[in-house]
Amino acid sequence: MGVPRIITIDGPAASGKSTLGARLAQALGYLYFDTGVMYRAVTWVALQRQLEIADEAAITRLAEQLAIDVQPPSHADGRAYDVLADGQDVTWEIRRPEVDANVSPVSVYAGVRAALSAQQRRIGLRGNVVMVGRDIGTVVLPEADLKIYLEASAEERARRRYLELIGRGEAADYDHILTGIHRRDQIDSTRAVAPLRAASDAILLDSDKLDADQVLQYVQALVNTVQEPGE
Ligand code: CDP
C-alpha cells in the first residue's frame, strides 16, 4: 500500500492549515505549497503600485504577468520559505494587515483565479505535495488522493491569529481580527468562482478541540490508511 501522492488541505482563515500542511509535508518529505501566498503576493504588489482593488481588469492583468516564486528560506527570521514577486522578497509584506483587508476581494476575480490556479495545478500534478488553500480539493486538484477540510470557530481562529501577531512583536486587536475573519469568510465562501467549501470526498476536521500535534497525528493516521489509486 502506498501513501497518497497528492494531499490537499482547505479551510477558512487561520484554521491551522499552514501549520498542519508544513508539518505533514516535512514528515512525508513532500513539497509544502501554500496557495494563499500567491493571492497575497498579487494583493501586495497591487497596493504597492497603487492599483484600484476594484479595477478587475488591472488586477487580472497583474495576476497574469506577475512572476511569483516560493523558495527555501534565505533568512533565519522565523520564515518557513521566501516568497518572491518579480524577484523581490515579499515574504513578510504579504502578511501585513492591508493585505489581509484586501486579499479576499482580489481573490474573487475569475481571471486572477484562472491565472493562479493554473500554476498551482501544474505544481500539484507533479505529486509528492501537500497543497493548502480554499479550493484545492474542489477545483485545483480534484483528483487528490487525500483531502482534508480543516475548520474551527471564528473566535478560536481569531485568538490564534492574535497570538501569532503578538508572537511576531506586532500590534494586534482581537475584536478587529475577529471582524476581519468574519468578513473574509463571508467573501471567500459566497464568491461565484471556486468558493470556499469542503469537497464531497474531503475529511472534515474541527480543530477547536484539537491542538496542532493532535491534528497532525490524526492526519498521519489517515495518510497510512489511504491507498494510492491503481494499487
Ligand atoms: O493564512 P490565512 O488562512 O489567513 O489566509 P491565506 O490562506 O493566506 O489566504 C488569504 C486569502 O487568499 C483567502 O482569504 C482567500 O481570499 C484567498 N485564497 C483563495 O481564494 N484561494 C486559495 N486557494 C487560497 C487563498
Side-chain angles (χ1 to χ4, degrees):
M1 191 175 84
V3 293
R5 290 184 66 245
I6 302 179
I7 301 173
T8 64
I9 306 172
D10 291 300
S15 56
K17 305 181 300 289
S18 314
T19 306
L20 170 64
R23 293 178 66 183
L24 182 64
Q26 195 186 18
L28 295 169
Y30 281 15
L31 174 73
Y32 164 58
F33 196 89
D34 178 359
T35 60
V37 305
M38 300 185 83
Y39 293 93
R40 287 175 176 273
V42 170
T43 305
W44 170 249
V45 174
L47 293 170
Q48 280 293 94
R49 296 189 186 168
Q50 299 186 318
L51 301 179
E52 285 290 341
I53 296 297
D55 185 346
E56 180 166 357
I59 302 288
T60 301
R61 218 175 309 121
L62 173 64
E64 287 168 351
Q65 290 168 359
L66 190 68
I68 306 166
D69 208 356
V70 181
Q71 296 275 347
S74 61
H75 293 71
D77 60 357
R79 65 180 64 193
Y81 42 73
D82 283 8
V83 180
L84 304 175
D86 280 347
Q88 189 202 342
D89 184 345
V90 297
T91 310
W92 290 120
E93 285 76 5
I94 64 170
R95 302 289 161 193
R96 290 163 78 134
E98 59 266 41
V99 174
D100 282 345
N102 287 287
V103 65
S104 286
V106 164
S107 306
V108 163
Y109 297 142
V112 170
R113 304 205 68 82
L116 302 188
S117 43
Q119 299 175 47
Q120 293 158 13
R121 183 164 169 76
R122 220 164 27 239
I123 294 166
L125 286 179
R126 292 185 205 140
N128 291 8
V129 66
V130 178
M131 194 168 279
V132 171
R134 299 287 186 291
D135 59 340
I136 312 305
T138 50
V139 173
V140 176
L141 295 166
E143 63 273 84
D145 306 309
L146 175 63
K147 302 178 183 178
I148 306 293
Y149 188 84
L150 198 56
E151 294 178 302
S153 67
E155 288 72 19
E156 173 62 18
R157 292 184 283 125
R159 197 183 67 84
R160 290 181 193 162
R161 191 48 51 95
Y162 173 83
L163 293 174
E164 195 181 309
L165 288 168
I166 296 288
R168 288 211 300 266
E170 291 177 35
D173 176 78
Y174 174 85
D175 290 330
H176 184 73
I177 295 171
L178 181 60
T179 309
I181 280 188
H182 278 306
R183 184 169 161 269
R184 215 134 58 84
D185 284 354
Q186 162 75 14
I187 301 176
D188 290 348
S189 53
T190 57
R191 67 184 174 219
V193 182
L196 168 67
R197 62 176 179 81
S200 57
D201 53 350
I203 291 161
L204 268 52
L205 267 180
D206 184 342
S207 77
D208 257 12
K209 292 172 196 71
L210 300 172
D211 65 25
D213 285 340
Q214 291 170 318
V215 172
L216 178 66
Q217 279 162 19
Y218 187 88
V219 174
Q220 278 180 315
L222 283 175
V223 164
N224 293 325
T225 61
V226 173
Q227 255 183 274
E228 232 182 312
E231 287 195 10

